[in-house]
Amino acid sequence: MQIFSHMRRDSAYKEVLKTLFLLVLIVSYGALTDMLYYLPPLLGVAFVLFCNFMEKGKIHYLFPIVIFLLFFEATKGFLWLSSIIFFLISYYLVVPKVKQVLGCEKCLIPLFVFYAYFGFYLFSNAMGLLLGVGTPSISTLLLYFAIVESFFLVILL
């Protein structure tokens, strides 16, 4: 016998809990990447997730990604808000054109990860030159990070 059959659980609390869990996970991993040099900083993963959340309209999931990007910029020595600006410009200008040309979703994941790393470093260097501010140099570890994150995302998504 169900007395309260017309009542249902509020799913908004589940979304808040998922977002908070994602935020704690991202901040914890960001701290680990500062201590362990060879852990990928997950910039490519953040870009792919950013694009997926924007497409699906799940704006509340972007909050942990923005926090992660702000910590990423602060700890790695990049300009403030440069990664967020890069992600927005890329999502609105580059991603639609690439998706028009290539239709395979699994093929786009490694391409977007490589683009996130190398495109962001080129973007930040260009912004650094325009503003007269020094930016971190491009390392050979970027290739390692992009390959590891591409493999990780192709398996999970």
Side-chain angles (χ1 to χ4, degrees), residues 11 14-15 55 61 81-84 99 101 109 130 146 153:
S11 62
K14 291 179 187 176
E15 294 296 320
E55 284 177 7
Y61 283 135
L81 295 178
S82 62
S83 62
I84 298 166
K99 285 189 174 186
V101 174
I109 292 173
L130 285 175
L153 281 174

Side-chain angles (χ1 to χ4, degrees), residues 5 21 40 43 68 71 89 98-99 101 115 131:
S5 62
F21 178 72
L43 184 66
F68 168 74
F71 278 116
I89 289 171
V98 171
K99 285 189 174 186
V101 174
Y115 171 74
L131 299 174

